[in-house]
Amino acid sequence: MKSTLEEQQAFVTVVDSGSITAAAERLGITVSGVSRALNRLEQKLGTTLLRRTTRRLELTEEGDTFLAHCRRILAAVEEAEEALLDRHDQPQGRLRVNAAPSFMQHVVVPVIGEFRARYPGITLELDTHDRFVDLLEQRVDLAIRIGTLEDSSLHARPLGHSALRVLASPAYLARHGTPQQVEELCRHSLLGFSQLDHLNHWPLTCADGKRLHITPTLAASSGSTLLELALKGEGIVCLADFMTRAPRQHGTLVDVLPDHTELVTQPINAVYYRQATLSQRTRLFMDFLAERLPAQYAHGP
């Protein structure tokens, strides 16, 4: 007896979700329904796909092999459905987009209403994560990544660049003084990243000619948190322009050491797996962001 797409979908979702309960919630069915689907699948295949313990689920060797086949089958079915949907005058279907929380908040969310009004048949799922996610495992159609790409399995479409600036609130500078030289920063409260240490390289040159690498006085895991701390006058921060356009325009954040700041930009790319067949929805969303990003963020004041 052959396995069904529903059973394969249940198996893949359990693996990706980490538990049967989470998979049931994601699929919108009961926990017992997911368990029965897994049991039927294993009985049909005559093998154990998942080892179940009280604390976690673990793939067997057979399960790992079958998982790769299931992913390809489900992706092919989805692409076939998308091909039919894309033949409509108005594109339809679900589009899963992943981005860092700060980019999603400051760039995507402000323009998402325009995209939805233009393409009402597209259902968006917006996922945020500070760390890069596996697009295949998370079933992400498109991810926005900032910085140098290292994953050769991804195809990238450049959307623009965003410069880095050193900033502080006028209130902080009024209390602690405005540094005139890079070396003076050691006497200030420096806001930096706790987990992404490469983002603690600031676009400032030290006396020895090297780029400044700070040890944060106050650290946070996300850029959005650091932005709020800077706005509250907790210290000096280095963030990308796409996050700070509005505060700079309103004067709630001002440049620090602008005459010593190098022009350092971070590339912004839309990425997807090379072997993936791009749906019309994905292309439309990339076109939309490429159209809006340079005008509003990549080269802003």
Side-chain angles (χ1 to χ4, degrees):
M1 187 181 299
K2 296 180 179 179
S3 63
T4 66
L5 288 176
E6 290 76 11
E7 291 163 352
Q8 294 180 23
Q9 183 67 73
F11 170 55
V12 171
T13 305
V14 167
V15 174
D16 291 344
S17 302
S19 73
I20 292 177
T21 301
E25 183 177 349
R26 189 167 169 179
L27 292 169
I29 61 178
T30 64
V31 172
S32 60
V34 176
S35 294
R36 286 196 298 270
L38 284 178
N39 289 332
R40 287 197 306 270
L41 186 58
E42 290 181 328
Q43 289 173 6
K44 289 177 181 179
L45 296 174
T47 189
T48 300
L49 300 174
L50 288 166
R51 294 191 186 93
R52 301 160 177 79
T53 70
T54 55
R55 300 184 62 182
R56 63 174 183 169
L57 297 172
E58 184 179 283
L59 276 171
T60 63
E61 183 177 349
E62 293 79 8
D64 189 55
T65 300
F66 190 64
L67 177 65
H69 290 290
C70 287
R71 290 196 192 282
R72 286 195 292 270
I73 292 168
L74 294 171
V77 171
E78 187 170 352
E79 286 172 11
E81 293 173 347
E82 288 174 353
L84 292 177
L85 289 171
D86 289 346
R87 296 180 64 182
H88 293 271
D89 292 336
Q90 186 66 252
Q92 300 181 41
R94 180 170 297 178
L95 179 65
R96 302 174 183 89
V97 180
N98 173 270
S102 56
F103 191 88
M104 190 72 76
Q105 175 186 350
H106 297 284
V107 180
V108 177
V109 170
V111 300
I112 209 67
E114 181 183 346
F115 181 83
R116 296 182 68 205
R118 191 182 298 183
Y119 306 110
I122 296 178
T123 301
L124 286 166
E125 278 189 15
L126 304 179
D127 175 63
T128 60
H129 205 288
D130 276 311
R131 294 182 179 275
F132 292 166
V133 300
D134 186 304
L135 274 61
L136 187 61
E137 285 190 4
Q138 299 300 319
R139 302 189 68 201
V140 171
D141 299 300
L142 186 70
I144 311 300
R145 293 191 172 174
I146 302 163
T148 303
L149 294 175
E150 298 179 354
D151 190 342
S152 60
S153 69
L154 298 176
H155 181 79
R157 173 175 172 177
L159 297 177
H161 289 77
S162 188
L164 294 172
R165 297 179 193 249
V166 180
L167 304 161
S169 70
Y172 173 84
L173 297 175
R175 291 197 309 271
H176 301 280
T178 301
Q180 302 300 317
Q181 301 295 327
V182 175
E183 289 68 28
E184 296 177 29
L185 289 176
C186 65
R187 300 195 293 270
H188 283 268
S189 174
L190 305 182
L191 309 177
F193 289 85
S194 59
Q195 299 177 10
L196 305 172
D197 190 56
H198 67 280
L199 296 180
N200 292 325
H201 288 278
W202 288 12
L204 300 168
T205 304
C206 300
D208 59 6
K210 297 180 180 180
R211 282 272 304 278
L212 176 67
H213 180 269
I214 70 151
T215 299
T217 311
L218 177 57
S221 61
S222 77
S224 296
T225 301
L226 292 175
L227 175 60
E228 289 301 315
L229 290 169
L231 289 169
K232 296 293 185 183
E234 293 299 327
I236 300 174
V237 74
C238 177
L239 294 171
D241 274 359
F242 72 80
M243 294 184 60
T244 62
R245 181 181 178 88
R248 287 184 286 110
Q249 288 181 335
H250 297 148
T252 50
L253 287 179
V254 297
D255 285 280
V256 175
L257 296 169
D259 294 337
H260 297 270
T261 301
E262 302 174 38
L263 177 59
V264 175
T265 61
Q266 295 177 316
I268 301 173
N269 291 286
V271 301
Y272 52 92
Y273 271 105
R274 289 185 181 275
Q275 58 266 40
T277 301
L278 274 186
S279 67
Q280 182 188 26
R281 300 187 299 283
T282 303
R283 289 193 297 271
L284 289 172
F285 194 79
M286 284 195 293
D287 290 343
F288 178 77
L289 284 184
E291 166 193 326
R292 297 303 303 268
L293 184 61
Q296 293 199 25
Y297 298 94
H299 308 296

